[in-house]
Amino acid sequence: MSKFIINGGQKLSGSIKIHSSKNAILPILAASILTEGDVEIYDVPMLDDIKIMVEILKYCGCRIGETNNNLTIKPNVVNNDINIEMVNKLRASVLLLGSMLSRCKKVVLGMPGGCNIGTRPIDLHIKGLTKLGAEIKLNQGYIEARAKKLKGEKVYLDFPSVGATENIMIAAVLAEGETIIENAATEPEVVCLANFLNSMGAKIYGAGTDTIRILGVDKLHSVSFIPIPDRIEAGTYMAMAAVCGGEIEITNVVIEHIRPIIAKFKECNIKVIEGENAIKVFSTDKIKPTDIKTLPYPGFPTDMQAPMMSMLTVAKGTSMVIETIFENRFLHVGELLKMGANIKLEGRVAIVEGVKRLTSAKLEAKDLRGGAALVIAALMADGTTEIEGIEHISRGYFELEKNILSLGGDIKRIV
């Protein structure tokens, strides 16, 4: 099993460029099979999750070429029975329900996997696709879906689920008539998917608001597309900058996408200078405590809860972190306690009492964002920290060690 060896206490300074968003690219890849034409996606960080989705599409019959982190997809589907092990490793594989139903009218799909951060039911996906005319059966370990014809309908989501919004949108672009998604997710990744589909000739209106209107079209055409930058990657490096004694310029960001994160950093007495497509974050040894409640966008993102908590472990006072999205997203807390953090858990609430310093320990990353939190903690801690289970981290952070080394950190991957 691979692990990181991190010698903490090194000052981090310099500049890094944020990669394109994994959470934007995965639905784009799922939707790429809707067209008969070629699809080009630029600036794709070949993270483990993206590699898995690429392999699933190849299994289905797509021809995919990679050149300098650019993907060229020649969509083709010869196999719509994808009850395979790869599907069980990737939560976003559920988005193939919408695209396969639209393209092939039927699909057999293994149950989606991903991080063990809590129950992530697909009932809203099923509700929406069923409203469009799909018949869906949940079997032991796989999903079977078919649709003679998809027809537009009004769909109200009980919760503004990002995945369900994307799946319904993907299915609706080639459906007959008009589809309206009410209480839709407003995340930037949803808007990015809508822009991608519209670039292929779809007619999607209102993405970024809680009501999305889709007028079905007959076909989609070829497209070249650049996804949005990864707002969670940006926030993670912001947290590193805040606690590691220097200043870091973070380029290729959309300021509005990280506005909720910037607001919390400023509450914590961390200096953030905003540019047009960049920010600079300055370290401080006088981090103020703050309270965080994770919410759907534009609230504070659940994916930033764990990295932010690492930063708050050395704040001058008591912070409260409330997790409202996933019930099992405090797996990193036990590991931070090994480093001397003072955190008390009460259900979905963590009370974080700041300590002067963290100390090194032997740790295990148990999920993606919790793993990133442990890297932040190790970078600011005294001594040498080992982090096992880093395959979780590799799912969401591209060239992490390279970036940290370029900033002056001391990190090594042991395979």
Side-chain angles (χ1 to χ4, degrees), residues 271-292:
K271 184 179 178 182
V272 180
I273 297 178
E274 301 176 20
E276 186 175 348
N277 295 298
I279 57 171
K280 185 173 282 189
V281 182
F282 297 80
S283 182
T284 178
D285 58 358
K286 297 179 181 178
I287 296 173
K288 291 183 178 179
T290 190
D291 294 337
I292 294 170

Side-chain angles (χ1 to χ4, degrees), residues 338-350:
K338 295 177 185 177
M339 305 181 78
N342 186 353
I343 306 170
K344 293 181 175 63
L345 289 182
E346 298 177 8
R348 292 195 181 197
V349 178

